[in-house]
Amino acid sequence: MTREALYVRLVALYPRSFRREYEEEMMYAFSELSRETRSPMQFWSIVLPDVIRSAAREHFDAWTCGLRRVALHWVAACTVGALASGVVGWALFAAYGWLFPLDPSSIVSPVAVNLSVAVCGVLIGVVIGGVQSLALRRFLGRPVSWVAATSTTGAAGILPGLFLANWSGLEVVRFGYFVALAFVGSSFALWRSRLVRADRTSAGRWIGWNAGAVPAAVAAGLASEFFYRALVSSWPGVLGFLIFPAVVGLVVGVVTVWPLTRLLSRDEDVVADPAR
Amino acid sequence: MTPTHVEFHVLLSLIDGPRHGYGIMQDVAALTDGRVRLGPGTLYSIVKRFLRAGVIEECEADADRRRCYRLTRKGRRAATEEAERLADLMRLVRRRGLLQPA
């Protein structure tokens, strides 16, 4: 087998899109290199490591390009954002306990309790929305609008959500909580779909999946926390506190990634050219 | 963008003017006395990334109809910035006495 025939087989290891663009040029460069390098040992010591390294890299690039790259960034952003909001939440919780060592309900009015819930919603929304807007910055005209939408929905969505939970029978069945969470998820999605100028079909799909994603994620978070408590006898507070948001963020990211990519696929230029 | 060691050599090779792929491979080997030998896969992988980032652009094919590449303004700026970064590093190395002053 000649060097060229062997190299043709090696070039087949590269992704198809890369071969389509550069195979002819690579063959030309290979032929020239082959003509100039007489020693087989020296020649293959250049070519073989080159093929292994660059083919692996190109496969990784091909796998993580376009919408798939956006999808990976989105799942990572949801997980990191939720984790970071967990840290913020834990800090707030600790500060609250330090400021009000007594039972807070005995000294704080219901209005103040609702207000503090809304403030928590804003802070969590700012943290999660901030990380997500970094992941989607190429698709958003004004990334700060995404953060604003997430934080205002965080505040405005939680209170009516809790009202809905009570109205739908919170005392009777815990199902009411999940109604509230579905409301929060769909409110988030409604605002955000307007920011990426989605058409009605993909916006509806995105809102629907988000409405399901948030309660599913919270259920998964509660389950993971339950198993963690069952498995670990000593209960390290900070770590336990972080398991819940991490799982919630991961599940929301994974569940919403498909409708998100459909939502963003209209911006074909940005998807095709991530360096833009 | 911050180019890697091998990518910087490709940028350096294109400073003098456009070259086709094999021309870049030869020039990099000559510039480094054979210490850096690019294979076709690595070269075109870098070319693909540089084209995407707007660091180089294709120019008219030569007589052999081989594609040529040349630096864009952005590419020249990236090469200059990397050279300045390396020069700063060398100043630091010399100040610490690791190498004798030039």
Side-chain angles (χ1 to χ4, degrees):
Chain A
M1 189 182 280
T2 63
R3 284 177 173 181
E4 274 77 11
L6 185 56
Y7 194 64
V8 167
R9 298 199 174 180
L10 290 173
V11 168
L13 296 173
Y14 288 87
R16 190 176 299 153
S17 58
F18 186 77
R19 288 204 310 268
R20 200 181 310 127
E21 194 63 31
Y22 298 109
E23 184 169 7
E24 195 184 332
E25 296 291 318
M26 284 169 73
M27 288 307 302
Y28 171 78
F30 176 85
S31 303
E32 293 294 312
L33 184 67
S34 175
R35 197 164 36 236
E36 282 197 0
T37 317
R38 293 272 169 232
S39 156
M41 184 73 99
Q42 190 194 1
F43 177 74
W44 289 111
S45 71
I46 296 170
V47 171
L48 282 179
D50 172 65
V51 169
I52 293 165
R53 268 199 307 265
S54 55
R57 173 162 194 152
E58 284 309 315
H59 274 289
F60 181 76
D61 267 14
W63 196 80
T64 57
C65 74
L67 279 175
R68 211 174 279 147
R69 181 193 294 263
V70 177
L72 288 172
H73 285 181
W74 171 252
V75 175
C78 287
T79 310
V80 172
L83 202 54
S85 76
V87 174
V88 171
W90 181 81
L92 283 175
F93 187 74
Y96 197 79
W98 183 70
L99 286 171
F100 303 103
L102 299 171
D103 177 15
S105 59
S106 65
I107 54 170
V108 179
S109 72
V111 174
V113 169
N114 283 338
L115 197 64
S116 65
V117 168
V119 169
C120 279
V122 169
L123 287 174
I124 290 168
V126 165
V127 176
I128 296 178
V131 181
Q132 287 174 342
S133 68
L134 282 177
L136 301 179
R137 63 191 179 281
R138 293 190 187 98
F139 297 91
L140 303 170
R142 295 170 63 199
V144 73
S145 308
W146 184 276
V147 183
T150 312
S151 54
T152 46
T153 326
I158 284 176
L159 290 175
L162 286 175
F163 171 76
L164 262 178
N166 284 310
W167 178 75
S168 62
L170 183 62
E171 285 81 18
V172 184
V173 277
R174 297 293 179 196
F175 180 73
Y177 278 123
F178 293 97
V179 174
L181 291 167
F183 178 82
V184 172
S186 51
S187 315
F188 273 132
L190 180 66
W191 277 66
R192 289 160 162 193
S193 63
R194 295 186 66 80
L195 292 174
V196 289
R197 303 179 304 280
D199 62 276
R200 200 171 288 175
T201 314
S202 49
R205 192 190 292 134
W206 163 247
I207 292 167
W209 278 83
N210 269 274
V214 177
V218 170
L222 288 172
S224 63
E225 199 175 308
F226 173 79
F227 281 114
Y228 183 82
R229 280 172 189 261
L231 291 173
V232 181
S233 54
S234 59
W235 170 239
V238 181
L239 186 61
F241 206 88
L242 295 181
I243 282 178
F244 177 76
V247 172
V248 170
L250 182 67
V251 173
V252 167
V254 169
V255 174
T256 56
V257 75
W258 177 73
L260 178 79
T261 53
R262 303 319 309 151
L263 196 71
L264 300 177
S265 59
R266 295 173 75 224
D267 280 338
E268 285 171 4
D269 293 345
V270 184
V271 172
D273 183 8
R276 203 180 90 165
Chain B
M1 70 167 285
T2 306
T4 63
H5 176 68
V6 176
E7 285 172 351
F8 185 55
H9 281 101
V10 174
L11 290 177
L12 277 183
S13 159
L14 293 170
I15 288 283
D16 288 341
R19 289 180 197 276
H20 57 69
Y22 187 66
I24 297 172
M25 286 165 63
Q26 279 181 310
D27 195 52
V28 168
L31 279 172
T32 60
D33 293 326
R35 282 193 301 275
V36 177
R37 296 298 302 264
L38 286 174
T42 302
L43 174 72
Y44 283 101
S45 185
I46 292 172
V47 163
K48 187 192 88 175
R49 287 199 298 281
F50 277 1
L51 284 170
R52 191 192 283 172
V55 170
I56 61 170
E57 62 189 2
E58 274 189 38
C59 42
E60 282 180 24
D62 61 12
D64 292 335
R65 300 200 309 142
R66 303 265 66 92
R67 284 190 230 167
C68 280
Y69 304 97
R70 67 174 161 226
L71 281 185
T72 59
R73 197 175 292 173
K74 184 180 176 185
R76 190 168 284 273
R77 199 166 53 236
T80 307
E81 282 170 6
E82 179 62 6
E84 284 168 353
R85 192 186 69 79
L86 291 172
D88 285 345
L89 189 65
M90 285 310 294
R91 268 194 290 277
L92 189 67
V93 165
R94 292 211 164 93
R95 206 182 306 153
R96 287 289 160 122
L98 197 62
L99 289 176
Q100 293 303 311

